[in-house]
């Protein structure tokens, strides 16, 4: 028994008992090749230089670490917002898409594919494919295409082909399955740009690496601006990339708390949510072993969130491990609380945040007074801007707040 556990721990891409490579045999070699190429690129000064140059000149990094003074005064602790919403295309997703497209070019692939839910990862990937002259196909559920017509237009304008996926719930989970099917068939000349710290190894670790620029900057910035490390970091958790990107550089700073916020949807008791750590159980989905929302037969449960980017039944495997080891803490925020926080942040700071990011803001609004005092410093990752969500918010309010 103990030997078996030891063996598990030695397998590549494991975070404790989580992660791994649960894929069809035909994808094992492409995944191994991807890992080799990524590790070689990471050691190559020319690749690093080109990536760093583009992150600066094209994406607009470093993003500011902004002291939210009016929000701080209202809530107690000194609150900073890491402004990923100011990245080109409006969210952190481009940090990862840019690096993976550059890697695809280095590997000699002429075609990239991606899955997308709300469309943010599709837009980021279509953008970077245009930048490097790569062919780009984005898989998107039919329902999501209707909900996110603006992002569909953006992807097409950028030269990408958007394929409507009509299987199952016609949303993100089915889009990932379709993208994997495409990859199996076209792997020789195609790279699959996965959009979050999820899926089979090496994706969770590779995407974390590409997003860890967020935390590296934030750590340097808070030391320069405050002369100390923060009390806590707070970020929303969909697949888990913006949160792990912020957390990673602080992992060894044991005094820095880490809080991941999931989508509580209509509340845990309603069953309509995407709070994997509230009700999920360990299972295997789309290449990885992690916490999954499933029924007693192991069927994947339907999920709900007002925020499309958090609306998924499983969570990145490293978060499962951080949860079990209690290095990070996980909580959730309901749709209602998120919409309230959207308006509060807009009035306090003049910032319209993405519905995903606002879950982290809402958690701080809800818990700051009980947890912290004026002496504490808190960093919230503002993963994206809210322009994409204004229609969704208007529709939500028309439906739920008729009064
Ligand atoms: C996609 C998205 C998320 C959720 O994905 P993670 O991988 O958990 O970061 C969060 N915020 C924004 C703005 C997004 O577009």
């Amino acid at each position: 028994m103990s030997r078996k556990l030891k063996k598990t721990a030695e397998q590549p891409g494991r975070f404790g008992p989580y992660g791994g490579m649960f894929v069809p045999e035909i994808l094992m070699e492409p995944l191994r090749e991807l890992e080799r190429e990524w590790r070689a690129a990471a050691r190559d000064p020319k690749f690093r230089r080109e990536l760093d140059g583009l992150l600066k000149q094209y994406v607009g990094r470093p993003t500011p670490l902004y002291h939210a003074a009016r929000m701080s005064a209202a809530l107690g602790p000194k609150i900073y917002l890491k402004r990923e919403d100011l990245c080109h295309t409006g969210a952190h997703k481009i940090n990862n898409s840019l690096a993976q497209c550059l890697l695809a070019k280095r590997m000699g692939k002429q075609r990239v594919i991606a899955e997308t839910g709300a469309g943010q990862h599709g837009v980021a990937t279509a953008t970077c494919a245009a930048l490097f002259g790569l062919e780009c196909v984005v898989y998107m559920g039919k329902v999501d295409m209707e909900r996110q017509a603006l992002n569909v237009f953006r992807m097409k304008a950028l030269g990408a082909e958007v394929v409507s996926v009509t299987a199952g719930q016609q949303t993100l989970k089915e889009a990932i399955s379709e993208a994997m099917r495409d990859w199996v068939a076209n792997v020789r000349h195609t790279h699959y740009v996965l959009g979050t710290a999820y899926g089979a190894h090496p994706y969770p670790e590779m995407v974390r690496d590409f997003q860890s620029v967020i935390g590296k900057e934030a750590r340097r910035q808070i030391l320069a601006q405050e002369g100390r490390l923060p009390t806590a970091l707070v970020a929303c958790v969909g697949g888990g990339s913006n949160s792990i990107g912020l957390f990673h550089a602080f992992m060894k700073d044991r005094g820095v708390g880490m809080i991941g916020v999931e989508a509580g949807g209509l509340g845990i008791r309603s069953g309509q949510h995407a709070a994997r750590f509230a009700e999920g159980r360990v299972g295997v989905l789309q290449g990885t072993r992690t916490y999954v929302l499933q029924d007693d037969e192991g069927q994947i449960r339907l999920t709900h969130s007002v925020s499309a980017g958090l609306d998924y039944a499983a969570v990145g495997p490293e978060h499962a491990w951080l949860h079990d080891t209690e290095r990070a803490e996980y909580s959730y925020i309901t749709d209602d609380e998120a919409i309230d926080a959207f308006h509060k942040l807009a009035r306090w700071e003049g910032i319209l945040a993405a519905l995903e990011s606002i879950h982290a803001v809402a958690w701080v609004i809800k818990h700051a007074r009980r947890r912290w005092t004026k002496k504490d410093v808190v960093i919230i990752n503002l993963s994206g801007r809210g322009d994409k969500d204004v229609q969704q918010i208007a529709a939500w309010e028309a439906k739920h707040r008729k009064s």
Side-chain angles (χ1 to χ4, degrees):
M1 181 66 191
S2 66
R3 197 194 289 160
K4 202 170 165 197
L5 277 175
K6 193 156 169 262
K7 188 155 176 271
T8 303
E10 282 162 4
Q11 282 170 3
R14 291 284 180 158
F15 304 94
Y18 304 110
M21 301 171 94
F22 295 88
V23 293
E25 192 56 36
I26 191 170
L27 281 181
M28 289 302 282
E29 188 40 40
L31 287 167
R32 290 200 185 104
E33 184 201 0
L34 177 59
E35 179 176 18
R36 278 195 302 274
E37 294 280 345
W38 157 54
R39 294 205 190 277
R43 283 191 303 267
D44 179 355
K46 188 168 156 280
F47 181 85
R48 295 274 10 149
R49 244 194 331 273
E50 191 172 357
L51 180 57
D52 289 347
L54 286 167
L55 285 171
K56 191 170 167 190
Q57 300 293 342
Y58 190 70
V59 175
R61 306 206 71 89
T63 59
L65 184 68
Y66 164 70
H67 173 219
R70 280 174 26 89
M71 182 180 181
S72 301
L75 297 176
K78 195 160 186 187
I79 298 166
Y80 282 86
L81 305 177
K82 182 60 174 160
R83 297 292 307 274
E84 293 300 296
D85 60 314
L86 296 178
C87 290
H88 179 43
T89 69
H92 71 290
K93 294 250 162 57
I94 196 160
N95 303 324
N96 171 50
S97 295
L98 182 71
Q100 284 201 45
C101 285
L102 194 61
L103 185 60
K105 204 179 80 167
R106 184 188 152 97
M107 291 169 77
K109 312 260 170 169
Q110 303 102 31
R111 179 173 179 267
V112 290
I113 57 171
E115 83 294 341
T116 200
Q120 289 303 104
H121 174 58
V123 169
T125 303
T127 298
C128 299
L131 181 66
F132 297 126
L134 300 167
E135 188 190 335
C136 179
V137 176
V138 179
Y139 290 91
M140 190 169 187
K142 185 162 172 280
V143 169
D144 287 335
M145 282 180 75
E146 284 156 13
R147 285 195 290 207
Q148 302 286 340
L150 173 65
N151 276 339
V152 174
F153 179 89
R154 291 167 83 194
M155 287 183 268
K156 287 181 176 165
L158 290 159
E161 180 192 345
V162 183
V163 177
S164 168
V165 178
T166 54
Q169 243 189 309
Q170 311 190 349
T171 59
L172 180 61
K173 180 160 63 68
E174 291 80 19
I176 297 178
S177 296
E178 270 317 300
M180 283 179 78
R181 220 162 280 146
D182 179 317
W183 201 36
V184 167
N186 300 295
V187 70
R188 276 174 55 116
H189 66 293
T190 297
H191 171 64
Y192 177 17
V193 184
L194 208 148
T196 186
Y198 184 74
H201 179 68
Y203 282 103
E205 202 180 325
M206 183 176 74
V207 175
R208 178 191 75 195
D209 185 37
F210 293 150
Q211 290 293 1
S212 63
V213 64
I214 302 171
K216 282 182 198 152
E217 285 176 11
R219 197 173 182 283
R220 204 180 327 119
Q221 288 167 319
I222 201 72
L223 288 173
Q225 288 166 234
E226 282 293 324
R228 56 163 286 191
L229 289 170
T231 314
L233 310 168
V234 188
C236 67
V237 184
S241 70
N242 87 88
S243 48
I244 206 72
L246 175 66
F247 294 172
H248 193 62
F250 297 87
M251 216 51 95
K252 290 192 184 121
D253 302 316
R254 302 308 293 189
V256 178
M258 297 172 177
I259 298 145
V261 186
E262 300 184 285
L266 302 179
I268 302 305
R269 245 176 299 159
S270 75
Q272 298 193 52
H273 61 81
R276 289 75 41 110
F277 290 120
E279 281 197 325
R281 282 175 292 137
V282 176
V284 170
L285 182 62
Q286 295 183 322
T288 196
R289 186 160 191 269
T290 185
Y291 281 72
V292 181
L293 286 168
Q294 52 192 312
D295 66 18
D296 290 337
E297 273 90 51
Q299 293 296 311
I300 305 309
R301 275 170 51 178
L302 300 185
T303 53
H304 163 83
S305 170
V306 69
S307 139
L310 303 183
D311 194 354
Y312 184 66
V315 63
E318 189 166 9
H319 287 286
W321 184 232
L322 293 176
H323 169 269
D324 286 11
T325 56
E326 298 181 5
R327 177 62 189 96
E329 166 189 349
Y330 295 84
S331 183
Y332 59 86
I333 278 295
T334 63
D335 289 354
D336 227 345
E337 294 167 327
I339 301 268
D340 265 347
F342 174 86
H343 292 294
K344 284 202 170 108
L345 185 70
R347 299 294 180 91
W348 279 329
E349 302 294 340
I351 296 170
L352 303 185
L355 279 175
E356 291 83 10
S357 329
I358 211 70
H359 281 67
V361 173
W363 190 92
V364 171
I365 292 174
K366 191 171 175 182
H367 298 280
R369 294 202 159 284
R370 257 179 297 147
R371 282 231 185 184
W372 297 310
T373 70
K374 274 163 86 168
K375 291 191 186 124
D376 291 303
V377 173
V378 175
I379 297 177
I380 303 175
N381 204 18
L382 214 68
S383 53
R385 67 173 186 233
D387 309 47
K388 68 179 174 60
D389 295 319
V390 291
Q391 279 177 319
Q392 174 82 359
I393 294 167
W396 193 93
E397 289 183 334
K399 190 170 163 202
H400 296 269
R401 293 190 181 157
K402 284 194 197 101
S403 69

